[in-house]
Amino acid sequence: MDVHTKVLLVTANVGSLFEDPEGLLQTWLHEFLSKVSYIQPKFLALHLQEVGGKTYEKSMEHVQEFIRCLCDDSVMAAYLSVHAYLDEDFKSAEHFTALGNLYFAHIDIVSLKIWNFLTHNWEEQIQKDKHIYCGNIETIATKEKSKFPQNYFPECKWSRKGFMRTRWEINGTVIDLVNIHLFHDASNLVACESFPSVYCKTRRRALVHTIERFHSDEKNGSVPYFLFGDFNFRCDTDGVVKELTKNLNPYRADDTRIENNKVHYRNSIGDTVLTIGKKEFSHVDHKLKFKEDWLKKYDRELEPLKDTLDEYPINFCPTYPFEEDPHMPMDYMSTRCPAWCDRILMSPQIKEMVVIDEWKYGMIGESACMGDHKPIYLSVRLKANKVEEIQHKPVLKHLFWIYIFFIFCRSI
């Protein structure tokens, strides 16, 4: 008799966690482990971005403490198989992504295999294996990791953006689990000039590049996948500003310094309602305005790929940018327009491999300080013995990507 496997997927940008480990680490772990304890998954996948924080040269030392606290907690005692991949080699500009992929398999899982991307075959009997790979992990064969091509990066300057994937056979069902970190918006002023913004176009280009790479992988084949990480998706800022500034008058401060170039929108009695600067996005009702339903219609970055990537309905507030002050855990910083940056997406075939109507898609630590990004989770029940045939059909893939290229160009 087939047994469905409860799977929990979590994505978390932990950059600010490692900037202030004393203030945030224990709270973050408590909220995360409470969710694991409540859902009680048999397979847990945790995808991290910005491992070690923004000042990773100084903060990377805290990563091992984070892993130790996580693995040693009593909630994790029954997860005998642990595979962790932590890209920490910040001295290698061409390879460093600061991504972390952590996987925990419960003792109750009957069959578990992991794919070797060099031998193009399965590694079996791993139910009780514990492997924590850190530092330079370029030669580890049970993961595939890559930065985006350098010409994709704004001004061709390297930053910690790329993807890392693993492939699993869980009770006879094969899936890829892919961690991804896409490019951010450098300036609010540029972002609100038009939609799609130049930043949105760059993110879409990198996302299409990643998906195409999986579909064109002749040696490892193509299987259904979950793609979850910090996509840095932003709302249609141009549309948001127009919505917020109806019946308001723009006023630009007389300052020749570019860094002080701001636009203020004032009402009829001269009160400032909205201020936009390069790194400022401040509304008079900033605490509550962006948690209202009106904002969701401006979450548009995935529109051109709606036939290629699926997502469960979003019923949580924007995941970024939250205050990093423990006394203001539910408030947004006035630096960016709040947006759903952190997401869990999937290839269309996935929904044939999970139990219908047995899913939960939500936020972890809604009322706790988790850093500037709130972790997002998806809980599903994975059917057993669902193996999509690994595709090796170049003609079909070629036609598929002509279509993707077509809709991508139309969106630019």
Side-chain angles (χ1 to χ4, degrees):
M1 180 178 178
D2 289 347
V3 178
H4 305 318
T5 307
K6 184 176 283 190
V7 173
L8 177 61
L9 311 177
V10 179
T11 179
N13 184 312
V14 291
S16 54
L17 178 65
F18 293 106
E19 300 295 321
D20 181 20
E22 291 184 4
L24 297 177
L25 180 61
Q26 292 306 317
T27 299
W28 195 100
L29 286 169
H30 171 76
E31 295 294 327
F32 172 76
L33 291 167
S34 294
K35 184 63 68 175
V36 174
S37 179
Y38 175 74
I39 293 179
Q40 295 189 339
K42 299 304 180 184
F43 186 91
L44 166 63
L46 172 60
H47 284 180
L48 306 175
Q49 304 83 42
E50 293 196 26
V51 170
K54 295 178 176 62
T55 56
Y56 38 82
E57 298 94 336
K58 299 178 181 178
S59 306
M60 199 63 81
E61 63 187 73
H62 302 298
V63 175
Q64 294 303 315
E65 175 66 10
F66 170 79
I67 298 298
R68 186 193 64 77
C69 291
L70 179 61
C71 293
D72 289 352
D73 194 273
S74 60
V75 172
M76 308 301 292
Y79 296 89
L80 299 187
S81 177
V82 179
H83 285 71
Y85 306 85
L86 300 160
D87 186 9
E88 300 175 313
D89 188 12
F90 55 83
K91 295 181 180 179
S92 177
E94 295 182 6
H95 301 292
F96 180 50
T97 63
L99 294 174
N101 292 23
L102 286 73
Y103 305 100
F104 303 86
H106 196 276
I107 189 174
D108 289 346
I109 288 184
V110 177
S111 174
L112 185 69
K113 301 177 184 178
I114 191 169
W115 187 258
N116 187 307
F117 288 95
L118 289 183
T119 64
H120 318 300
N121 215 329
W122 293 106
E123 294 190 2
E124 305 184 26
Q125 306 299 325
I126 62 170
Q127 278 91 333
K128 295 183 180 180
D129 283 1
K130 287 194 177 183
H131 296 289
I132 297 178
Y133 305 106
C134 54
N136 186 318
I137 60 172
E138 298 305 311
T139 61
I140 305 303
T142 49
K143 64 93 187 75
E144 180 192 24
K145 180 178 72 72
S146 179
K147 293 188 79 158
F148 300 122
Q150 188 171 11
N151 62 319
Y152 282 31
F153 288 78
E155 301 177 354
C156 291
K157 293 181 180 178
W158 286 121
S159 63
R160 300 157 293 164
K161 302 296 188 292
F163 74 86
M164 179 157 59
R165 73 162 166 163
T166 56
R167 177 172 298 173
W168 298 85
E169 184 183 293
I170 305 169
N171 287 335
T173 296
V174 177
I175 54 172
D176 276 357
L177 300 175
V178 187
N179 190 356
I180 193 167
H181 193 184
L182 296 179
F183 307 99
H184 68 282
D185 282 12
S187 168
N188 295 320
L189 296 169
V190 174
C192 67
E193 290 176 354
S194 62
F195 183 83
S197 70
V198 292
Y199 309 120
C200 174
K201 292 176 184 178
T202 301
R203 285 190 287 271
R204 284 178 178 170
R205 184 185 183 194
L207 183 55
V208 168
H209 164 82
T210 303
I211 300 171
E212 181 176 18
R213 177 163 172 161
F214 300 154
H215 280 271
S216 61
D217 188 344
E218 294 293 334
K219 293 182 178 179
N220 294 294
S222 177
V223 305
Y225 56 85
F226 286 99
L227 179 63
F228 52 115
D230 179 4
F231 293 84
N232 260 315
F233 289 157
R234 306 302 168 98
C235 293
D236 168 6
T237 313
D238 177 41
V240 169
V241 171
K242 289 176 180 176
E243 176 85 15
L244 292 174
T245 58
K246 292 176 181 177
N247 303 317
L248 299 181
N249 300 310
Y251 169 77
R252 190 179 293 271
D254 186 16
D255 196 323
T256 58
R257 291 174 296 180
I258 296 176
E259 64 271 18
N260 290 340
N261 194 11
K262 297 180 182 180
V263 181
H264 306 275
Y265 293 88
R266 297 174 173 174
N267 60 21
S268 59
I269 60 174
D271 294 332
T272 298
V273 176
L274 179 69
T275 299
I276 303 176
K278 180 179 180 180
K279 294 186 178 181
E280 180 177 355
F281 197 98
S282 178
H283 190 270
V284 66
D285 188 22
H286 206 81
K287 288 184 179 180
L288 300 176
K289 188 67 175 178
F290 301 102
K291 294 183 179 181
E292 298 172 359
D293 291 340
W294 68 271
L295 187 62
K296 194 67 187 70
K297 67 182 178 182
Y298 295 105
D299 177 39
R300 301 177 53 199
E301 288 209 23
L302 271 175
E303 286 179 352
L305 294 173
K306 64 180 183 297
D307 295 326
T308 305
L309 292 170
D310 277 350
E311 183 177 23
Y312 284 101
I314 292 177
N315 294 309
F316 46 86
C317 66
T319 66
Y320 170 88
F322 280 91
E323 289 281 358
E324 297 168 305
D325 184 343
H327 298 99
M328 305 168 65
M330 301 177 71
D331 295 346
Y332 291 110
M333 290 190 285
S334 56
T335 53
R336 307 288 184 186
C337 175
W340 291 268
C341 294
D342 309 273
R343 313 281 275 263
I344 301 178
L345 312 179
M346 66 206 81
S347 60
Q349 302 92 336
I350 285 290
K351 288 194 173 179
E352 301 172 7
M353 305 170 71
V354 298
V355 179
I356 300 175
D357 296 331
E358 290 195 37
W359 57 270
K360 293 180 181 179
Y361 189 28
M363 179 181 286
I364 296 176
E366 295 95 329
S367 59
C369 186
M370 307 291 281
D372 55 352
H373 289 257
K374 297 283 190 184
I376 297 302
Y377 76 92
L378 174 66
S379 173
V380 295
R381 290 176 67 86
L382 194 65
K383 297 177 182 177
N385 301 311
K386 289 286 183 180
V387 182
E388 290 280 326
E389 182 180 358
I390 294 179
Q391 298 293 325
H392 295 284
K393 300 178 180 179
V395 174
L396 292 179
K397 285 186 290 190
H398 178 66
L399 293 175
F400 172 79
W401 285 107
I402 288 178
Y403 168 72
I404 291 297
F405 182 74
F406 172 71
I407 62 172
F408 176 67
C409 289
R410 286 184 61 189
S411 70
I412 295 178

